[in-house]
């Protein structure tokens, strides 16, 4: 996907892959995820598969803000997860971070628990999104 966002205090994005069976214990891949406050950076998270999905089994801090255009990729394979931002990869092969169930893509753009000020306004821009299915090599 290619995207950028204005500074919007009180809002965040969490664009993620979520288990088709709606069971959080089967994993969750969030990338990109970022608060839209000033100076906040883009992260990637793979929630731990198993008893405590509140734990992040893998975290990537890109050091980049949402104010510029970026291209983000989640490459999910049976043995690894790679988050790439503008061609820079962040990869894990930790089994508790790599989902093994079908997932669907959700592009959550949301508020923080405390509602933002009513005078906050701006735009989250999405130039394009694309998705492919994994096909193992012959």
């Amino acid at each position: 996907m290619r995207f950028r966002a204005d500074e919007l205090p009180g809002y965040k994005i969490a664009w993620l892959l979520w288990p088709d069976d709606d069971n959080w214990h089967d994993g969750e891949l969030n990338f990109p995820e970022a608060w839209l406050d000033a100076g906040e950076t883009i992260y990637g998270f793979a929630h731990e598969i198993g008893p405590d999905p509140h734990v992040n089994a893998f975290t990537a801090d890109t050091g980049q803000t949402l104010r510029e255009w970026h291209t983000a990729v989640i490459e999910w394979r049976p043995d690894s997860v790679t988050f790439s931002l503008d061609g820079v990869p962040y990869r894990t092969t930790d089994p508790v971070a790599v989902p093994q169930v079908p997932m669907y893509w959700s592009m959550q753009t949301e508020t923080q628990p405390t509602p933002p000020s009513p005078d906050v306004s701006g735009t989250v821009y999405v130039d394009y999104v694309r998705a492919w299915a994994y096909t193992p090599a012959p």
Side-chain angles (χ1 to χ4, degrees), residues 80-92:
S80 66
V81 170
T82 304
F83 302 135
S84 296
L85 188 70
D86 303 324
V88 177
Y90 305 85
R91 182 172 189 260
T92 184

Side-chain angles (χ1 to χ4, degrees), residues 56-120:
N56 290 315
F58 173 62
T59 302
D61 179 354
T62 69
Q64 300 294 313
T65 71
L66 288 156
R67 304 312 162 250
E68 303 297 324
W69 283 101
H70 295 288
T71 302
V73 174
I74 299 173
E75 184 177 322
W76 167 39
R77 296 173 174 256
D79 62 349
S80 66
V81 170
T82 304
F83 302 135
S84 296
L85 188 70
D86 303 324
V88 177
Y90 305 85
R91 182 172 189 260
T92 184
T93 57
D94 185 342
V96 299
V98 182
Q100 300 297 313
V101 299
M103 310 277 271
Y104 67 88
W105 197 5
S106 176
M107 295 179 69
Q108 293 178 183
T109 303
E110 58 197 50
T111 63
Q112 297 180 14
T114 303
S117 170
D119 56 340
V120 172

Side-chain angles (χ1 to χ4, degrees), residues 1-73:
M1 70 183 70
R2 184 165 159 76
F3 64 97
R4 76 169 213 61
D6 294 337
E7 183 178 308
L8 299 164
Y11 290 89
K12 75 177 278 194
I13 63 168
W15 298 344
L16 57 104
L17 295 177
W18 181 260
D20 277 352
D21 64 6
D22 207 29
N23 182 352
W24 192 24
H25 297 275
D26 287 337
E28 175 184 352
L29 301 176
N30 299 359
F31 188 70
E33 180 170 339
W35 295 107
L36 303 183
D37 298 337
E40 293 291 329
T41 60
I42 300 167
Y43 282 86
F45 300 102
H47 291 259
E48 184 174 289
I49 296 165
D52 192 1
H54 291 93
V55 174
N56 290 315
F58 173 62
T59 302
D61 179 354
T62 69
Q64 300 294 313
T65 71
L66 288 156
R67 304 312 162 250
E68 303 297 324
W69 283 101
H70 295 288
T71 302
V73 174

